[in-house]
Amino acid sequence: MPHIALITLVVRDYDEAIEFYTRALGFELAEDTDRGDGSRWVVVRPPGTTAGAVSLLLARAKDDTQLASVGAQTGGRVGFFLHTEDFAGDHARMLAAGVRFLEEPRHEPYGSVAVFEDLYGNRWDLLQPA
């Protein structure tokens, strides 16, 4: 059965992106392979995610057009949804790690949610479904 395995996220720099996603968001570095041409194949994913589940491919911008899209890949909308089973704990841990939340936590019929930005300004929902 076909499934989505990777979503590309264009970044300015591999190492700063790895640092943010692993330190601030607690993701695991699943792969970091030098491709021999100055680029790398860098994959991060939430902890406990099994191989084959959706992961992020961090792709360094190669030209001015790609660089202009860094942080604006979804036109200012929330484009990424990080589900959690411990909203309060993850929210507190992320705040302590310097993650910038754009709002206070909300408790909606569908769950607890707060919008945050990654280091480039892409918007994410931290969401604990009801």
Side-chain angles (χ1 to χ4, degrees):
M1 192 64 133
H3 67 279
I4 296 172
L6 293 169
I7 296 174
T8 299
L9 188 63
V10 182
V11 301
R12 278 192 307 255
D13 178 82
Y14 293 118
D15 294 324
E16 73 180 5
I18 291 169
E19 173 73 12
F20 176 82
Y21 284 97
T22 60
R23 185 189 57 79
L25 298 190
F27 283 22
E28 299 171 343
L29 178 61
E31 186 173 353
D32 185 355
T33 304
D34 187 328
R35 297 182 66 200
D37 61 357
S39 67
R40 291 156 54 184
W41 186 263
V42 178
V43 177
V44 296
R45 59 184 177 220
T49 303
T50 59
V54 177
S55 300
L56 291 178
L57 174 66
L58 304 179
R60 187 183 65 208
K62 292 184 178 185
D63 57 33
D64 289 341
T65 301
Q66 290 181 13
L67 195 56
S69 75
V70 172
Q73 293 174 90
T74 60
R77 294 186 59 115
V78 171
F80 306 94
F81 300 82
L82 183 59
H83 281 203
T84 179
E85 294 178 3
D86 180 11
F87 181 87
D90 286 333
H91 182 262
R93 181 188 55 73
M94 291 167 65
L95 277 172
V99 174
R100 181 171 176 248
F101 280 85
L102 302 179
E103 63 183 10
E104 292 298 316
R106 294 179 281 124
H107 304 287
E108 304 289 348
Y110 57 85
S112 297
V113 63
V115 176
F116 69 92
E117 289 182 335
D118 67 16
L119 75 163
Y120 300 113
N122 294 302
R123 291 183 177 197
W124 291 67
D125 270 358
L126 176 64
L127 175 64
Q128 181 173 357

